[in-house]
Amino acid sequence: MPKRHAVVAGAGIGGLTAAIALHRRGWHVTVCERAPEPPTTGAGIGLAPNALRALDAIGVDAARAAGGAVPTTMGLRRSDGQWLTRTGTADMAARYGMPPIAVPRPAFTAALAAALPPEAIRYGTAVTAVDDAAGRPTIRTAVGPDLPADLVVAADGIHSPLRRAYFPAHPGLHYIGETAWRTIVDAPDLRIPAMSETWGRGERFGVTPLSDGRLYLYATAVVPAGTRSADPRAELRHRFGSWHDPIPALLDRVRRLDPADVLQNDLYDLAVPLPSLHRGRIAWLGDAAHAMAPNLGQGGCQAIEDAVVLAHLLPAGDSGDSTDSVPAALAAYTAARRDRTDAVRVRARRVGRLGALRNPLAAAARDLAVRATPARLALRGMDDLFNGFRLPG
């Protein structure tokens, strides 16, 4: 009996994880990616314990695949350098079974792609439409030919064309009021062991050690959508150059980069949840399903969870099952994932509002409240995120 065929729209972290999970469940998998080639530049990504546990469920060792840098501490600071809260990653490992790791995004996606058969990924192949009127999807691409499938995984990103096509009444994306800059720098001489985020008034700056020894930097500011400066490096120095060490020294490294190496994106999340994470034989995951602000570092982590749960619920691709169990499996996927992902989306938006406070009195009260919270209680508050991954029975 021929294998079931899944077409994945998008070769990001969620799409590649879904392709691996389905491939290991016996499915024939085709990944269609609009970009002409794999990414070679980009930012970093943090993999929290929940994502690492999900990857482990499909036999992917993220640390072995892309390296794993474990910072000694994680915490929040004020712009003058004072720590508001700080947690040792050893305490996180003791509570959650493993610490978080941070990896360069291009290296991680390359490692995921390497786990698939070479012919599985088709770059330069944008999915333009899915015709499922006959009960079995036909995927149309910009380069042809059409692809028949038993399942379509819509992992086509925050601006998902498939989401717009199948949920035309949905309000779509919501601008959260901030823009973000991201880049990676070399700074071994600075010996930065901690993952930290610094909160000012309407501005934030984050530093994350990566698995290859470099540092992932990100910054945000409350500005109108579409605000751009001629030189993003100068803009960062203007906004953050007077903040605590080692931020000025890190900005010196940024100044030496090509401006194109500093990415800037306005931040959006989904205005309201989708009514369902599936339609017929199409399943949405990751940003296409539940775009969320990056304030909890869970966007990629939830995409990984989506992918693993989806493959777990679907029948094996080579099972020879004569019944059509795919639609029922997708309904179970929506039931398993919709509430959890929307709760994370809402929580990320709320955390972002705290970090974006501009009023001096409100920001001071926020900082005081964070400092007054014992570290053990702050860590316990992450239990639902880091211990929240479950494979449905």
Side-chain angles (χ1 to χ4, degrees):
M1 184 174 180
K3 290 185 176 183
R4 291 184 172 91
H5 182 210
V7 173
V8 180
I13 288 171
L16 290 174
T17 303
I20 293 170
L22 289 166
H23 172 66
R24 294 181 177 180
R25 291 273 292 155
W27 285 68
H28 172 57
V29 178
T30 303
V31 182
C32 296
E33 168 55 45
R34 68 169 67 93
E37 58 188 14
T40 57
T41 61
I45 180 171
L47 298 174
N50 54 303
L52 295 173
R53 199 169 289 116
L55 290 167
D56 184 65
I58 59 170
V60 173
D61 185 334
R64 179 175 296 178
V70 179
T72 57
T73 58
M74 302 173 63
L76 291 173
R77 307 177 79 170
R78 295 193 326 191
S79 59
D80 62 4
Q82 183 179 65
W83 287 95
L84 298 174
T85 183
R86 188 163 32 171
T87 301
T89 48
D91 294 333
M92 294 186 68
R95 188 170 186 87
Y96 302 116
M98 61 192 75
I101 65 173
V103 298
R105 188 179 289 263
F108 185 50
T109 54
L112 293 175
L116 292 167
E119 70 279 2
I121 306 178
R122 302 184 183 184
Y123 291 100
T125 306
V127 172
T128 57
V130 176
D131 179 4
D132 63 347
R136 187 165 188 256
T138 298
I139 294 84
R140 312 200 189 283
T141 71
V143 297
D146 293 346
L147 299 170
D150 300 286
L151 168 72
V152 178
V153 179
D156 50 346
I158 190 169
H159 299 288
S160 170
L162 291 177
R163 183 182 67 226
R164 292 197 301 268
Y166 278 85
F167 299 96
H170 189 274
L173 298 175
H174 156 262
Y175 179 53
I176 67 173
E178 294 178 275
T179 195
W181 297 268
R182 296 172 293 148
T183 193
I184 295 176
V185 299
D186 286 303
D189 54 308
L190 298 181
R191 302 179 182 276
I192 299 173
M195 178 188 300
S196 65
E197 183 170 289
T198 300
W199 285 3
R201 296 199 298 269
E203 296 173 329
R204 290 176 284 168
F205 195 99
V207 182
T208 301
L210 295 177
S211 58
D212 61 1
R214 295 181 295 168
L215 295 164
Y216 166 44
L217 311 181
Y218 62 90
T220 70
V222 176
V223 296
T227 300
R228 296 292 183 271
S229 62
D231 186 345
R233 302 166 304 172
E235 178 74 8
L236 290 170
R237 190 157 190 83
H238 169 72
R239 289 182 176 275
F240 303 102
S242 64
W243 286 26
H244 66 79
D245 291 332
I247 291 175
L250 291 168
L251 292 174
D252 283 341
R253 271 51 172 201
V254 174
R255 187 173 57 182
R256 302 170 197 170
L257 298 175
D258 186 299
D261 291 331
V262 180
L263 308 178
Q264 183 179 358
N265 301 98
D266 294 339
L267 299 180
Y268 291 84
D269 65 5
L270 212 60
V272 297
L274 291 178
S276 172
L277 301 187
H278 77 287
R279 281 284 178 88
R281 289 173 173 267
I282 308 172
W284 281 262
L285 61 76
D287 282 346
H290 43 70
M292 60 185 65
N295 303 305
L296 296 173
Q298 280 288 313
C301 296
Q302 291 301 310
I304 290 168
E305 286 193 17
D306 288 344
V308 174
V309 169
L310 175 64
H312 173 76
L313 289 170
L314 285 161
D318 53 1
S319 65
D321 182 4
S322 59
T323 62
D324 187 3
S325 51
V326 171
L330 297 190
Y333 165 71
T334 286
R337 296 298 301 159
R338 185 176 178 273
D339 288 350
R340 171 163 169 79
T341 55
D342 192 56
V344 178
R345 179 190 66 85
V346 171
R347 182 172 174 179
R349 183 184 288 186
R350 289 173 177 167
V351 170
R353 288 172 178 165
L354 284 176
L357 288 173
R358 288 186 287 180
N359 180 280
L361 293 178
R366 172 202 66 194
D367 294 350
L368 183 63
V370 173
R371 284 193 65 194
T373 303
R376 68 181 183 280
L377 292 182
L379 184 59
R380 187 184 303 168
M382 305 302 286
D383 285 359
D384 59 333
L385 288 179
F386 295 164
N387 279 336
F389 170 71
R390 298 285 187 277
L391 286 176

